[in-house]
Amino acid sequence: NAGVTQTPKFQVLKTGQSMTLQCAQDMNHNSMYWYRQDPGMGLRLIYYSASEGTTDKGEVPNGYNVSRLNKREFSLRLESAAPSQTSVYFCASSEIGGEYFGPGTRLTVT
Amino acid sequence: QQPVQSPQAVILREGEDAVINCSSSKALYSVHWYRQKHGEAPVFLMILLKGGEQKGHEKISASFNEKKQQSSLYLTASQLSYSGTYFCGTETPGNTGKLIFGQGTTLQVKP
C-alpha cells in the first residue's frame, strides 16, 4: 500500500500561472483533505471532502478550487497563483480516526 | 478559533518526561495529536473522543478534559526518536470532520 501520494513534490510558479496539485489514496477512505503549512502557522484546512461527490470549504479556501474525482483522488487547483500561496501543501485522508498525510508539495510562487 | 498549545518549545534529555498542553475556547468533540519531523509529513499519534474513549500508541499517552476544553499529551521516558513538532487538532460539535490545528510544540530530545 502506498498510502497517500501527492504530485508534484516541488513546483515553482510565476504570479498569475495556474496549476493543479494531485492527490490519491489507496486506503479506501471516504474523507480527504487539503492543508497548507506555513512556518509558525501550523496546518490550515483549505478544503475537505467527506465523501465522493461532496466538497466543503475549510479555514482558508480563497484562491483555491478542488475536485473530488472519485473515491481515490482529490485535486487542488490554483487558478491564478499569488506569492501569498507559497507554502507546503499536504493532502490527507481518513476514515474513522486519525488522518493520514501525503508527503507534501513544496510550492513557490515568484 | 485555533487551539493554543503550550509550551512552544521544550528541550529534554533522554529518559526525561514532558507534557504538552492544548487548550480550546470552544467545546470540543475530539482532540487529535500528531508528530511531524523536519521536512516530513505529520504522523497521527492518537485521538481522544468526547466521552473518554482513547486510541493511540502505548508509549505516549494523553488525557482529555471536556469541561476545561483541554487535552494534554504525556511523553514518558523520552527517546531521541520523540524529537519533532507536536500538533493538536480539535474538532467541534457541528464541525466534525474538520480539524483546526494548534501552532505546534517543538520537542528536542538530547542524548
Side-chain angles (χ1 to χ4, degrees):
Chain A
N1 283 351
V4 180
T5 57
Q6 292 182 235
T7 55
K9 285 185 166 46
F10 301 93
Q11 184 70 49
V12 179
L13 291 178
K14 293 186 189 298
T15 298
Q17 288 184 320
S18 62
M19 77 161 297
T20 299
L21 281 64
Q22 306 286 353
C23 173
Q25 52 94 6
D26 63 2
M27 295 175 283
N28 203 35
H29 287 167
N30 278 306
S31 300
M32 296 187 74
Y33 312 83
W34 277 105
Y35 291 93
R36 61 178 288 173
Q37 186 173 36
D38 304 300
M41 295 289 290
L43 293 145
R44 291 184 292 170
L45 182 65
I46 305 172
Y47 271 94
Y48 87 108
S49 172
S51 62
E52 185 179 350
T54 68
T55 61
D56 199 1
K57 294 178 181 179
E59 296 174 81
V60 288
N62 291 344
Y64 305 95
N65 285 302
V66 290
S67 295
R68 183 72 183 269
L69 304 168
N70 47 55
K71 192 171 185 179
R72 289 187 65 248
E73 298 172 288
F74 189 37
S75 63
L76 179 72
R77 183 160 178 85
L78 287 72
E79 292 290 351
S80 180
S84 60
Q85 294 179 305
T86 293
S87 189
V88 180
Y89 291 85
F90 288 103
C91 176
S93 71
S94 74
E95 196 56 41
I96 298 173
E99 295 182 14
Y100 294 86
F101 286 80
T105 295
R106 280 154 179 77
L107 175 67
T108 301
V109 183
T110 61
Chain B
Q1 296 288 57
Q2 186 180 34
V4 176
Q5 290 185 230
S6 62
Q8 285 191 321
V10 60
I11 299 174
L12 298 174
R13 295 284 180 190
E14 269 188 296
E16 292 181 339
D17 301 340
V19 180
I20 299 171
N21 300 302
C22 176
S23 181
S24 173
S25 60
K26 294 189 171 184
L28 298 176
Y29 173 76
S30 75
V31 179
H32 297 217
W33 285 97
Y34 294 80
R35 177 172 61 212
Q36 184 178 30
K37 293 187 181 287
H38 184 68
E40 299 181 6
V43 174
F44 170 69
L45 295 176
M46 68 179 68
I47 181 172
L48 299 103
L49 301 173
K50 186 177 177 181
E53 184 179 357
Q54 178 175 336
K55 301 178 185 178
H57 297 236
E58 296 178 356
K59 295 186 177 181
I60 299 174
S61 62
S63 64
F64 180 20
N65 187 322
E66 296 162 33
K67 286 186 178 179
K68 291 187 177 180
Q69 297 160 189
Q70 293 176 345
S71 177
S72 294
L73 185 71
Y74 305 97
L75 301 105
T76 56
S78 60
Q79 307 167 15
L80 294 176
S81 62
Y82 285 8
S83 293
T85 301
Y86 289 78
F87 292 98
C88 68
T90 56
E91 266 183 301
T92 56
N95 278 297
T96 55
K98 290 185 182 181
L99 286 181
I100 305 296
F101 283 89
Q103 80 280 17
T105 295
T106 301
L107 176 73
Q108 184 180 3
V109 181
K110 294 185 174 182

